[in-house]
Amino acid sequence: MNLYLRYFDREILVNNVDEAIDFLASIDEIGMDPMLEKDIRDYVASDMIYPKRYKIRPRVYFIIIKTEAATMQDFKDKKAVHVDGSAGKPVSSAVMRLNEEREGWYEGSIDFKRVLMVPGTGKFQYRDTHFVARCKAISGLDCYNRIVDHLSQRVDSRSQFPSAKGKNFKFQYLGRFK
């Protein structure tokens, strides 16, 4: 496991935590101290694969990313894919899965903000609404677009739909259609 570190335009890909700490210690603004060093060592030793962001001062951070990339160019080209330890297969990102073309039946669920009129007052309010549909589509994104098109014809135009890439849209491939 390698580590990618970036602070503004300074970046590096290192093989171990000691090299990472040396890099950060060479930057005066960061102010490496024993607590920060311990926290970085704990993060690197943990199973967490998400990037870690450290605050230097308001709106100024440095970032550490665990990666399988062997070189900086591999990291930039996003060739290193995290591996799921239980199954041993690559974990595909949500965007890649969303755009993967598999023609067939999909079940999509979307949580969106629907505009409804309050009967007693005549005023309008946003109400969280859950909607599930099965449809024929060629990808997860196509499923999302079909659901949003269907809903936008049937709800108030001020209703707000989430991004297909967000946590408020989920889909499942059910199988090929005949």
Side-chain angles (χ1 to χ4, degrees), residues 35 78 96 139 149 155:
M35 285 180 40
K78 297 181 177 139
M96 286 176 56
S139 68
D149 287 346
V155 298

Side-chain angles (χ1 to χ4, degrees), residues 83-98:
V83 174
D84 181 4
S86 61
K89 52 186 177 181
V91 177
S92 63
S93 72
V95 177
M96 286 176 56
R97 219 175 61 102
L98 191 64

Side-chain angles (χ1 to χ4, degrees), residues 26-88:
S26 71
I27 302 171
D28 293 333
E29 296 104 31
I30 291 178
M32 180 61 72
D33 62 6
M35 285 180 40
L36 180 59
E37 181 177 341
K38 181 186 179 319
D39 193 55
I40 291 170
R41 288 184 187 280
D42 290 345
Y43 166 71
V44 172
S46 74
D47 292 337
M48 184 170 44
I49 61 170
Y50 299 106
K52 180 99 179 194
R53 189 170 75 155
Y54 290 92
K55 188 173 187 173
I56 304 303
R57 57 183 184 274
R59 296 187 302 273
V60 176
Y61 301 88
F62 73 86
I63 189 169
I64 300 176
I65 300 173
K66 293 180 181 178
T67 181
E68 298 292 328
T71 66
M72 184 66 83
Q73 190 60 44
D74 286 348
F75 180 79
K76 297 281 181 166
D77 293 341
K78 297 181 177 139
K79 290 183 182 172
V81 178
H82 291 292
V83 174
D84 181 4
S86 61

